[in-house]
Amino acid sequence: MEAFAIARVQLSFASITATPTGPERFATAFYTTLWAEAAGTRDLFPAGMEGMRHRFTTAVGWVINRLTDVDAVEAFLGQLARDHRKYGVRPDHFRAAGHALLVAVRECTPLILWTAALERTWSRVIGRLVEAMAVACEEDDLPASWGATVVGHERVLPDLAIIRLETDSPIPFHAGQYMSVQIPQRPNMWRYLSAAIPPNPHGQIEFHVRRVSTGWVSPALVGEVSVGDRWTIGPPLGGLAVDLESGQDALMIASGTGLAPMRAQIMEMAMRGNNPRVHLFYGGQYPCDLYDLETLWHIAMTNPWLTIVPVIEQPENPWWHPFPPKEAPPGLNRPMYGKLGKVAAQFGTWADRQIQIAGSPSMIRTTLYALSAAGTPRQNIRFDPL
Ligand SMILES: Cc1cc2nc3c(=O)[nH]c(=O)nc-3n(C[C@H](O)[C@H](O)[C@H](O)COP(=O)(O)OP(=O)(O)OC[C@H]3O[C@@H](n4cnc5c(N)ncnc54)[C@H](O)[C@@H]3O)c2cc1C
């Protein structure tokens, strides 16, 4: 599709999301139309839709902003379509969703921008997107979801748990990917979690979860999960990976449980002989937030391609964690102080690196900004959809 048409679509979507109420209005218009026009689709969604609406608008924005990157968009939509099979979504549902999307865009774009030509362009764009999803859904021959049993739940901080499970059969994911999970304590409330270890033939999987105090599901994941609980896990998603063919060294920047996808990749690389150099900036507010630093130190001690740089904002632990910070073993980096993105950007452009960022949405945004301001090209940087 020609660049001018793509720019028009991107501009009209930006006009929808520019106002504080725009994203919510857009998602509401979409779901209202879908449920009214495609019988039975309301039952596919949870009763409480707050999070879903936000995620929907974010995902549409992610795709619209990358329309020129056809491969990335197709990969993302294919994964999203396969992921939707766990709800019972069928290929014809995507076509109905395409119509609802056009209605929502038309309703929410300011009248002054909406023309017959823009409607035709949107219609073409949406047609391609939903067809890609319908085909991916139709052609997928993997299970729609996997059952798994909790075999370990370790509370490593008051608000952070490491949860280990065994899946009934191995999930074919690659290190760096995430998946949606549904737990018995919160039925029908799927949440994404990144695998913190690489796949293995025994179906063992590990997730690191931080409690969001205002959240529905993460407090239950941290505080209520027990050994023996049965979870449902959706298909693997996401494309974080070190491209070994590129010959480029890697830069990873992770805060909090954003460590999980980097950790899985590093563990997988440690099983191979030949690796590019990897710099991992691992950050948190307090020293105790770097809850898995010792594992990383152990790997770094025997893998010279790996450099770990701990980054913290405060030198001491808070009063509720009354233990002194651990000293780095001889030869490894001592902590640097400051905001994670700013500290990583102090080193210059990182223009020759393949870069991955994982953490909270606000950390990803500020790190992107700091790296771009220091001259790192945006196209070198990857992160999962926020
Ligand atoms: C690709 C991807 C991978 C993820 N991997 C992990 C992981 O490995 N470990 C992990 O713990 N979480 C991970 N998350 C976040 C996780 O999916 C949930 O969003 C998070 O646990 C909050 O869920 P909740 O039900 O408790 O909150 P919700 O009920 O969904 O949200 C309640 C409120 O909290 C806000 N909120 C949600 N998340 C955050 C946040 N991180 N920081 C601040 N405010 C927030 C929401 O905007 C909302 O206002 C990942 C998310 C994505 C998109």
Side-chain angles (χ1 to χ4, degrees):
M1 184 172 284
E2 56 286 13
F4 181 64
I6 290 177
R8 280 164 55 101
V9 163
Q10 289 172 335
L11 178 69
S12 77
F13 193 72
S15 74
I16 293 174
T17 52
T19 64
T21 53
E24 179 75 15
R25 203 176 137 232
F26 171 71
T28 304
F30 167 78
Y31 284 114
T32 311
T33 310
L34 179 67
W35 296 340
E37 296 190 0
T41 47
R42 177 65 187 99
D43 299 339
L44 302 173
F45 295 88
M49 285 291 294
E50 305 79 23
M52 288 293 284
R53 276 198 282 270
H54 171 74
R55 280 193 285 275
F56 169 74
T57 309
T58 307
V60 175
W62 194 92
V63 169
I64 296 300
N65 287 327
R66 282 168 186 75
L67 283 176
T68 46
D69 190 349
V70 178
D71 290 346
V73 166
E74 277 185 4
F76 176 70
L77 292 177
Q79 288 182 352
L80 205 60
R82 288 189 279 274
D83 186 43
H84 274 70
R85 288 179 55 226
K86 66 179 188 250
Y87 300 120
V89 168
R90 300 185 312 260
D92 54 304
H93 289 139
F94 289 110
R95 297 182 181 114
H99 173 66
L101 186 55
L102 186 61
V103 171
V105 171
R106 188 192 302 132
E107 251 177 50
C108 299
T109 302
L111 266 182
I112 193 156
L113 293 179
W114 194 254
T115 60
L118 181 60
E119 174 147 0
R120 278 195 301 277
T121 311
W122 263 109
S123 186
R124 272 165 59 210
V125 168
I126 291 173
R128 284 185 195 179
L129 301 181
V130 295
E131 211 40 48
M133 293 186 85
V135 169
C137 181
E138 223 152 36
E139 290 180 350
D140 192 27
D141 48 12
L142 285 174
S145 62
W146 284 260
T149 307
V150 176
V151 295
H153 184 273
E154 190 186 340
R155 194 100 170 237
V156 291
L157 288 174
D159 64 349
L160 201 147
I162 293 181
I163 306 169
R164 298 188 178 92
L165 298 106
E166 276 170 18
T167 53
D168 296 346
S169 60
I171 303 177
F173 70 98
H174 66 70
Q177 286 197 295
Y178 60 97
M179 35 213 98
S180 55
V181 308
Q182 185 192 215
I183 62 171
Q185 291 82 358
R186 298 288 182 275
N188 297 322
M189 299 179 89
W190 294 83
R191 291 295 182 271
Y192 294 125
L193 296 176
S194 303
I197 56 172
N200 63 59
H202 314 292
Q204 295 152 339
I205 196 160
E206 178 175 312
F207 297 116
H208 297 185
V209 185
R210 182 145 226 162
R211 182 181 64 214
V212 172
S213 48
T214 51
W216 284 98
V217 180
S218 60
L221 284 163
V222 173
E224 295 174 37
V225 165
S226 305
V227 169
D229 283 357
R230 291 282 300 162
W231 287 21
T232 313
I233 303 184
L237 301 158
L240 289 185
V242 174
D243 180 358
L244 297 171
E245 306 296 310
S246 73
Q248 277 182 315
D249 289 335
L251 169 66
M252 297 178 171
I253 305 177
S255 72
T257 55
L259 177 67
M262 312 301 188
R263 183 188 194 265
Q265 293 176 75
I266 287 170
M267 286 182 156
E268 191 169 72
M269 291 170 84
M271 292 183 232
R272 278 196 298 262
N274 222 351
N275 286 303
R277 273 192 305 157
V278 176
H279 270 80
L280 169 66
F281 285 84
Y282 175 31
Q285 190 179 358
Y286 300 108
C288 64
D289 287 329
L290 309 190
Y291 61 93
D292 206 31
L293 192 54
E294 281 185 77
T295 309
L296 297 169
W297 276 336
H298 278 294
I299 302 175
M301 277 193 272
T302 48
N303 290 279
W305 47 268
L306 177 63
T307 304
I308 306 289
V309 185
V311 181
I312 43 179
E313 293 172 32
Q314 311 282 341
E316 299 299 331
N317 279 326
W319 62 269
W320 48 260
H321 189 90
F323 305 105
K326 297 216 168 75
E327 281 290 311
L332 297 187
N333 289 295
R334 289 169 181 283
M336 297 187 69
Y337 296 98
K339 292 269 179 206
L340 183 54
K342 268 195 179 170
V343 170
Q346 277 171 22
F347 289 81
T349 75
W350 297 104
D352 56 343
R353 300 291 175 116
Q354 41 177 321
I355 302 170
Q356 299 179 26
I357 311 178
S360 68
S362 62
M363 171 268 174
I364 293 180
R365 274 188 217 105
T366 51
T367 303
L368 273 175
Y369 180 78
L371 292 179
S372 303
T376 305
R378 187 66 177 68
Q379 67 269 19
N380 292 14
I381 306 175
R382 284 179 174 202
F383 54 92
D384 284 324
L386 303 173

